[in-house]
Structure formats: structure tokens, C-alpha cells
Amino acid sequence: MTLANKLAEERRARLAAERLLEQKQAELHAANRKLGLHARALSTEITETRAEVQTVRDENQRVKSDLGAANQKIEIAERRLWHSIQAIEDGFAFFDADSRMIAANKAWLAVFDGLEMVRPGISYIEILQLITEEGIVNIGDMSRHEWREQMLDRWQGPAPEPQVIRLWNGHYIRLTDRRGAGGDMVSLVQNITAMIRYEKELKDARGRAEAANRAKSAFLANMSHEIRTPMNGVVGMADLLAEGPLDDEQRLYVTTIKHSAEALLVIINDVLDYSKIEADRLPLHPEPFDLERCIHELVTLMQAHARDRGIDILVDYDLFLPTRFVGDPGRVRQILTNLVGNAVKFTEAGHVMIRVTGMQAGEGAEADIRISIEDTGIGIPREKLDHIFGEFNQVDDAKSRKFEGTGLGLAITQKLVRLMGGDLWVESDEGRGSTFGVSLPLPVAEAAIPEGARPDPRIARALVVEPHTTCRALLERQLAALGMEVTACADASAARAQVARDAPDLVIVDHHMEGMDGFELASALRAAGHAMPVIVLSPNSGSAAQDPARGAVQAVLQKPVARRDLLTALAGLTPPAPAGTGPADPPAKAPPAPRAMRVLAAEDNKTNRLVFSKMVQALDIELTFAGNGREAVALFQSLAPDIVFMDISMPEMDGKEATRAIREIEAREGGHVPIVAMTAHAMNGDDTEILAAGLDHYLTKPLKRAAIVAQITTATPPGLRPPEGAPTQAVG
Ligand code: ADP
């Protein structure tokens, strides 16, 4: 190989090497650049990661410190709470859902008096076990087992009732346990010993107060009884004395004794009633009663006195208003007695009208009864209208007093009316009269007009003969309400002319009329050939029934006539047979020799027996006395009396017991003899008790002759000799 070749070859080889070097250098450069880039990226990444790590570390640090603060707060709150729980007097404990104690305060643990086992972790069952074993609780008659069972049942219930238990030392604690979320139980224990002692003291004090009040009531009852019993003798004897031959001076003395005694009784009753109402000791005793009858009874009692003074008492009882209501009849009577008594007392001439109306919202609903008592008396000045309802208040002041009275009547009446949920008001025109109104809400105890009480439809035209305008208008209205065609006139001669013109189907006539009285008119009509039924209304139906012309009339009714009596009498009428247009048949003869009425009176007090016998002396009755209840029952069986007057307080067997015994006999053997209580008891509730024992009526002592006579006359069975007439034959 030539040198040149060699040189060329070497040059080529060098060139090739140089190119390779260049290429490798380029590659190295590229690799270096890449490495540089990568290293830079890595370094950036490291920087970022480091920053992140720092942030997380910071965050962590903050959370840690927050948590620390929160923990600290929780600890403080928990400490405070526990501190409070420890500080309160009541026992406090928590149990978990497995009934294991979580914690309990000192008061809760105190009950266990330092027993070490009672601490967090102990179960409720173990606690109960300890309680019974250590005798911590007074478990009474129960066995330990029973007591634990009972307590456990309670504890496991969803909402345990609070329970009071007595500890060994006589203290009382109340357990209140509440179930919380997750089945935890919170148990609260309160020591209520002081409260229970206080309650007991209150109960004892109340018992003592009630006993004192009962003693006071008993004292009042006794006082009233003790005063009334001798007063019966005073009033009764004065009454009898007044009827004997007396000179004017003696008569004045006797009347004064009588009036003073009566005034004293009114005062005693008023004061008693008022003190009872004031002390809220006046319960009402509602029962079904007949309002119309009650009004008529009280009118009968007051009428004698009113008539003496020339005043009529009229009753206008709405014909379509029921008469039986549920209320306290004794108290309703007392309200009306006060108002009607005042009306009579303060009226010198004219009349007193008792109007009864009412509204009922629907069948079976309570009726709103309105009773107004109108008088034509002296009236009340406008400025005194409110004043008179106050205690001891009267229109006249003490200096110019003309009328007797305590001034308590209206105050009592108003309180009674309000007690019944009603209202009392007055309207008055001085010098012309007053109207007192009472509203009473009373449940209705019957349907309005009794079935079968409608008169025969053939009795369609009635003639009313009544001199008194108000009475006449009232009767006209009542008959018209029954669908009758009514004409009216004021005296017998007008009536005769009217009958001659147009004979009515019925004549209703007043007993007492100027010229010709009711019976004489009836006889005159019969003589003139008229046979229509005639009804006589008389303020004294008992004695009127003995009128020689009684046979000429169909019925004699007590005036003012009770709606029920009028309806019954009308329903009992039959029109005369067509042939009867001629003179009426002579009245049927009474059965031969009717016997006298038998009256049994049970009364242990000798003076009162004397008073009673003197009071009925003028009656044609057979009177027998029993000295006590036992005798009364025996005589009831042997004598078969028509009416019994029964004293309530009697030795051996009292009037109530005797009445119960008589009612039992009647339940077996049939019949019902009216029994009238005679009592000196004026205390509240006595009348209810007496009527509940089976007595029909109630008279308080001092007895009034008129009331006794009215009871006997009303009770006279048909076919007996009318009691008002010949003298009594007293027996026994
Ligand atoms: P008392 O009748 O016992 O005085 P009340 O309380 O019943 O007591 O009546 C108070 C007063 O109201 C009576 O004294 C009388 O002045 C007046 N008063 C009551 N009712 C009437 C009446 N119907 N007419 C006139 N004045 C009356």
C-alpha cells in the first residue's frame, strides 16, 4: 500500500472519527440538556412538595391546638356540671342501657350511708339487693323479693311513674327516673319529708277547722231547735188565747206576744241563713219538684194574712209551661216566700200577682223560668232600688221605720238566686207598685201538658163569672189556651142573663160575689133547667165543699187554682146527656153516715201535743196521739189513719225511722198515707233529709193552724165527712 493510500486512508479514518466524535458530542449535548431540564423540573417539584408539607404541618399544628382548647372547654364544662350536680340537694345518678351506674352525686349516694359497693359500675339489681338486705327502705308488709320485683318492673318500664318511698329513718323520698337516648337512665331522688309533714299538718289543720265548723253548725242547729221548740208553745198558746174571750187590753197583750215571737223567729231564720250562705255552707239539693204546686202551697199559707189586709194573691202560671222541674224546692220556696211576703207587706190595697213564664230551648233542655211578683203597693224610690239588696238595708231608715223586718230578706234571696245560676231584679214606680223578677235555669222533669188532661171536645164554650178583673182575665186566657171559646162577666145576674141568651157548655164561677154567690148561682141555673157543668173556685175550698148547694156543682177548686187541678177537673167533666136540658137531677145522696177522718199525730212533747190538739179542735176529725216513733208505727197499723203528722226528733224511734217503717209496711200491703213532718229543725238540708225518708210534706214549728188544717183538708179521701165542721174527738 502506498503511502499516499495510507495517508488517504488515515485521513478518511480521521474524518470518520471526527464525524463520530461530532455526532457523539451532539448526542451528549442533547442528553445533557435533557438531564438539565429534568433536574430543574425535579427541583421545582421538590420545592413545591416541601411547601405542601409545611402547609400540612401548619394545619396539623392548628388542629392540634384547637382540639386541645376544645378538650379543655369540655373538661371545664363537665367539671362545672358535675360540681353543680354534686352541689344540689337532690340525688342524681346516671345508668347506662345495661342498668349499670355511670355516675351518682353525693346526695344520691347518701341514702346508702357510705356503702362502698355503691359506686360506678354497680348494677341497678345489685342496688335493690343492697337496699333490702341493709333495710334502707321501709318496705311495709311486702316481702323483700316482692319489693325488688316491683321496683325492677317499674325501672324497666318505658316511662316509670314517680314513686314515693319511705326510708328506715322515717324520711320520704320521691324517685323520678327518665329514660334517655340509647337506653340510658337518669335517676332523680328528692327528699320530700318536709312537704309530706307540711301536707299532714295542713290536713290536720283542715280537719280541725272542719270539726270546728261542724261544731258551729251543730250549735246553730241546736240553738235553732232549742229556740223553736219553746216558741211553738209560745206562739201556739198565744194563738189559742187570742181566740178565747178577752177584753181589749188582754187581746193587745196576746197579739203582742204572738207578733214578737213570730218576728223573733223570722230574725233567727234570716240570721242563720245569711251566716250559712256567707260561709259557703249552703249546698243546694236539687230534686224533681212541682213548681206550680210549690207556688200554690205558699200562696195558701200566705193568703189568710193577705186576705185579712184586703189583698188578693193571684197566680198566673203559663198554661203551656211544664210544672215539674229539677231544683232545690226548699230554696225556691224560700226565694218566693221572701218576695211574695215583701209584696204583701208593702201593699196596702190591691193585689199581688205571681206570674210564671218560661222558655225551653228544646225537648229535654233546661228551661229559663221567669217568675215575676207584681204588687200594687208603696213602691220603691228610684235611688233606693240598688240599696235594698244590701244586708240590713231598707228604704226607711231606722228613725222612720214603719214596717217590720231585718233587711236581710232580699240579700239572702239574691244570694240564693245567684247560687242557682239565676238573676234577681226589680222595677218600681213609687207610690204605684213594684215588680220583682227572678230568672232561674231549671232542667225540666216532665212533658208540658199531661196526656189525657185535655177537656172533652164537646165542652167548647165556657162562661167565666168572676168579679175580680185580673182573676177573670187570667181564667179567660187559660181557658182560651185550651182552645175554648170564652165569655166572661163580673156577677151572677149578668151570668144568668148570658146563660139565658146563649147557654155555654161550662160555667166557672167565683165562690164569693156580691149579691148571689157561686153556689147560689149554680142552684139558680139548675132551677132554670140548665144542666151544664159548673165549677166553683173558692179561696177556702174545704169549707166551701160543705155548702148546701154543693150538689149543684161538679167541682170546687181551691183558689188561686193550680193549673193541674183545673186541667184535671176539666178533663173529668162530661157534657150532660141530651135529655138533661130540663132541670138537673137532684144531687146524689152521700153514702150513709160517712166516717170522720182519722188523724194520727206523733209528738213526744206534752205542750206541743196540747197545742196541736187545740189547733185542730174545731175540725171534725178523730185525732190520736203517739208519744214516739215506735208507737206511731204500731198505731198506724191498728188505726189505719188517713193522714199522719210526725214530729222528727222523738225518743226511742225518731220520725224519719218511723216513716221509713210505715213506708215499708205500705210497700208490702199497698196504699200511701200522707205523712207530714213537724219539726223544729231549721238547718239547711234538714228538709231534704226529711223528705228523703219518705215524708210527703214538711211543716216547721211553731206550727200554724192554717197549715195544719190545709194539710188535713187536702188529704181528706173522698167519701169521708169533710173535716171542717163539728168539734174534734181527741183520743190518746
Ligand atoms: P225586710 O223586708 O226584712 O226589711 P228585705 O231585704 O226583704 O228586708 O227588703 C229590704 C227593703 O226593700 C224593705 O225594707 C223595703 O224597704 C224594700 N222592699 C222590698 N220589697 C218591697 C216591695 N215589694 N215594695 C216596696 N218596698 C219593698
Side-chain angles (χ1 to χ4, degrees), residues 386-406:
D386 287 336
H387 172 77
I388 54 168
F389 292 103
E391 296 81 65
F392 304 105
N393 288 354
Q394 299 175 319
V395 169
D396 290 344
D397 59 22
K399 279 173 275 157
S400 61
R401 276 269 293 278
K402 279 199 301 255
F403 299 95
E404 285 176 357
T406 55

Side-chain angles (χ1 to χ4, degrees), residues 342-343 345-346 375 378-380 388 393-395 405-410 434 436:
N342 275 350
K345 180 161 75 172
F346 296 105
D375 65 54
I378 59 169
I380 303 159
I388 54 168
N393 288 354
Q394 299 175 319
V395 169
T406 55
L408 272 177
L410 285 178
S434 316
F436 281 81

